Amino acid sequence: MKHLKTVFKALLGFLPLFFSGVCTSIFAQQSSVEVIPPDPMDSVEISLLTCQPHDEIYSLYGHTAIRYHDTRKGKKVDAAFNYGVFDFKKPHFVLRFVFGLTDYELGAYPYELFLGEYRHFGSMVTEQVLNLTNEEKQKLHDALDENLRPENRIYRYNYFYNNCTTKARDIIERCISGKIEYAEREEFSPSYRDMIHDMTDNHPWARFGNDLLLGIKADQKTNRRQQEFLPYNLMYDFDHAQIYENGRYRPLVKERRTAVPGGVQMVKSGFPLSPFACGLIVCMAGMLLFILQWRGKRSFLIWDMLLMVTIGTIGIILTLMLFSQHPTVSLNLQILLFNPLPWFFLWPVIKGKAQHYWVLTVILIVLYFIGSLFQSYAEGLWSLAYCLLLQCCIHLKKQS
């Protein structure tokens, strides 16, 4: 028994040393494992911001930006990257815009400052948090940083093909490792003109200006990618898109939020008469003058000159648009009637020696009306065509 007690005491003395050695071995193994710090991109959210239009002319079609939000303590970054920065005060801005020679640039602003403008105008801002991997977030971070450099931030703006919305889409797509698969909308193939009309429904004179400059290419049906020049269409497509990578799908948008709720928008009062109403007034005046001339068997030279100067001046604008960089304005069938030709015949008409001009004008008016089967014309211009046709009847009657 004494021998067993001696052995038992020896074991009890050995156990603390045994467990101490085991624990030391375990901790030694654990200390040899490299501790991986958390990925900084874990705290980063990147979102697409879609801004509702407001009443300012530059905002009638909405706007798109990218939000980069890093919530790390001590390194918080919350910025909106905006490809729609321009300087309206630059010389000949409107003229350069019309001819497709406008340069826009990328700007980065504090997120709250960016939202402030839309709160002021009562415009809703929708945020779509993108479902990106950390690697994709890093790529997008680096791409935005590269675009923001002074030598890269300026780009040649094109309203339909290279605007603030398409630039945001393109840079996001380039930084995604997988393939984005968009859901096609069935029976949705509006023309550029249709989409512009939807956005300018409450601004008839802005729509008139667009229709005056846009040619037959603006009436062709568009595909999904072409439709994404409008912010709302891109937002819709992102909502219904999936990323396919390594045999798996994940939604492109992880979460959708309302960054700025819609408020009350102040609508500025414009010219009280619409282009259609003005056209109707001109047409009625032309018919009245036609009746007076027909009954009096004479022509009113002042009315001839006013029509010719108006149509010729519009024609100069449309002729200049042939040199624009915008593809959708290069072929405009309205030029069949609205061209500079009246200016060349103005003096002969004043002298009463332009009989051939009236015959030529009738031919052009007929071609103009035929062209309306293929292209939508600016509202109200038909009145000038009708008035000019009535004047042609007066002069051709005098010649017979």
Side-chain angles (χ1 to χ4, degrees):
M1 286 294 291
K2 287 184 178 181
H3 180 69
L4 288 175
K5 287 180 180 180
T6 303
V7 172
F8 184 69
K9 287 180 179 179
L11 287 172
L12 288 177
F14 175 73
L15 282 176
L17 296 174
F18 173 77
F19 283 114
S20 175
V22 170
C23 291
T24 302
S25 175
I26 291 172
F27 285 119
Q29 289 178 14
Q30 287 182 343
S31 63
S32 66
V33 177
E34 182 182 357
V35 178
I36 302 175
D39 192 326
M41 286 295 149
D42 287 341
S43 62
V44 172
E45 280 187 347
I46 299 181
S47 311
L48 186 77
L49 303 175
T50 302
C51 310
Q52 182 187 25
H54 53 75
D55 200 50
E56 295 295 330
I57 190 69
Y58 63 84
S59 177
L60 293 182
Y61 311 100
H63 189 50
T64 299
I66 297 173
R67 181 189 185 187
Y68 183 91
H69 187 200
D70 189 344
T71 59
R72 276 183 297 172
K73 202 170 184 180
K75 292 188 177 182
K76 184 174 180 180
V77 177
D78 200 357
F81 289 82
N82 174 17
Y83 280 95
V85 178
F86 63 91
D87 185 0
F88 194 78
K89 296 180 181 180
K90 283 189 175 181
H92 315 297
F93 178 86
V94 175
L95 193 62
R96 290 178 60 84
F97 184 89
V98 168
F99 281 96
L101 301 174
T102 310
D103 289 331
Y104 276 41
E105 62 182 86
L106 172 65
Y109 304 94
Y111 178 61
E112 284 301 319
L113 182 63
F114 177 82
L115 296 185
E117 177 184 1
Y118 294 94
R119 287 197 187 97
H120 171 74
F121 286 107
S123 297
M124 183 170 68
V125 178
T126 303
E127 180 182 7
Q128 293 168 292
V129 182
L130 302 179
N131 189 19
L132 306 180
T133 64
N134 286 351
E135 180 185 359
E136 290 166 344
K137 292 176 188 177
Q138 187 63 56
K139 284 182 181 179
L140 191 48
H141 169 276
D142 295 342
L144 289 171
D145 184 62
E146 181 69 20
N147 271 199
L148 203 57
R149 295 177 182 273
E151 64 271 21
N152 299 329
R153 63 193 308 166
I154 297 174
Y155 69 98
R156 180 53 52 89
Y157 178 89
N158 185 290
Y159 178 64
F160 288 136
Y161 306 110
N162 197 37
N163 66 8
C164 56
T165 300
T166 62
K167 293 289 285 186
R169 175 200 64 191
D170 294 346
I171 196 171
I172 290 171
E173 287 182 343
R174 286 198 302 270
C175 296
I176 289 178
S177 302
K179 178 185 177 184
I180 301 180
E181 295 187 4
Y182 293 97
E184 299 293 338
R185 285 196 263 183
E186 294 183 4
E187 299 181 359
F188 185 74
S189 54
S191 65
Y192 283 120
R193 196 185 306 273
D194 291 334
M195 291 184 280
I196 291 296
H197 281 186
D198 288 340
M199 305 305 295
T200 56
D201 191 48
N202 296 322
H203 297 81
W205 284 102
R207 183 171 58 191
F208 173 85
N210 290 328
D211 284 340
L212 178 64
L213 301 180
L214 291 174
I216 193 170
K217 292 181 180 179
D219 291 286
Q220 298 173 357
K221 291 183 177 182
T222 58
N223 58 36
R224 174 195 52 77
R225 193 160 188 84
Q226 291 170 326
Q227 293 155 14
E228 288 174 352
F229 82 97
L230 281 180
Y232 176 81
N233 289 340
L234 182 64
M235 179 178 72
Y236 179 93
D237 289 341
F238 268 35
D239 268 341
H240 297 82
Q242 300 275 334
I243 301 174
Y244 179 75
E245 185 181 13
N246 298 327
R248 293 185 178 183
Y249 284 94
R250 55 186 158 106
L252 176 59
V253 175
K254 179 170 61 176
E255 183 182 352
R256 180 168 170 170
R257 306 166 182 161
T258 299
V260 175
V264 177
Q265 293 199 10
M266 301 298 293
V267 179
K268 296 179 181 179
S269 57
F271 189 69
L273 297 178
S274 68
F276 179 82
C278 291
L280 194 59
I281 293 172
V282 171
C283 191
M284 292 174 63
M287 291 180 67
L288 177 61
L289 292 172
F290 171 76
I291 294 171
L292 293 176
Q293 292 174 97
W294 189 273
R295 287 182 177 179
K297 297 181 179 180
R298 57 178 179 157
S299 61
F300 295 154
L301 180 61
I302 296 297
W303 181 233
D304 288 338
M305 293 173 59
L306 183 59
L307 284 175
M308 293 177 69
V309 168
T310 302
I311 290 173
T313 301
I314 296 174
I316 291 174
I317 296 173
L318 297 188
T319 302
L320 290 174
M321 293 309 298
L322 296 175
F323 304 97
S324 174
Q325 299 296 312
H326 292 294
T328 48
V329 305
S330 57
L331 179 59
N332 191 337
L333 297 183
Q334 293 173 114
I335 204 171
L336 290 169
L337 179 60
F338 296 93
N339 54 65
L341 195 62
W343 283 104
F344 295 98
F345 284 93
L346 186 59
W347 182 246
V349 167
I350 293 174
K351 300 295 288 184
K353 299 178 181 180
Q355 291 83 359
H356 296 298
Y357 169 72
W358 302 109
V359 176
L360 177 60
T361 300
V362 170
I363 297 172
L364 291 174
I365 291 173
V366 172
L367 293 175
Y368 172 80
F369 286 139
I370 293 174
S372 66
L373 300 175
F374 305 97
Q375 177 184 322
S376 295
Y377 292 160
E379 188 179 47
L381 284 187
W382 54 268
S383 62
L384 293 175
Y386 281 122
C387 289
L388 191 58
L389 182 60
L390 293 176
Q391 286 304 105
C392 290
C393 293
I394 293 293
H395 286 279
L396 292 176
K397 180 178 180 293
K398 286 172 62 178
Q399 295 174 21
S400 61

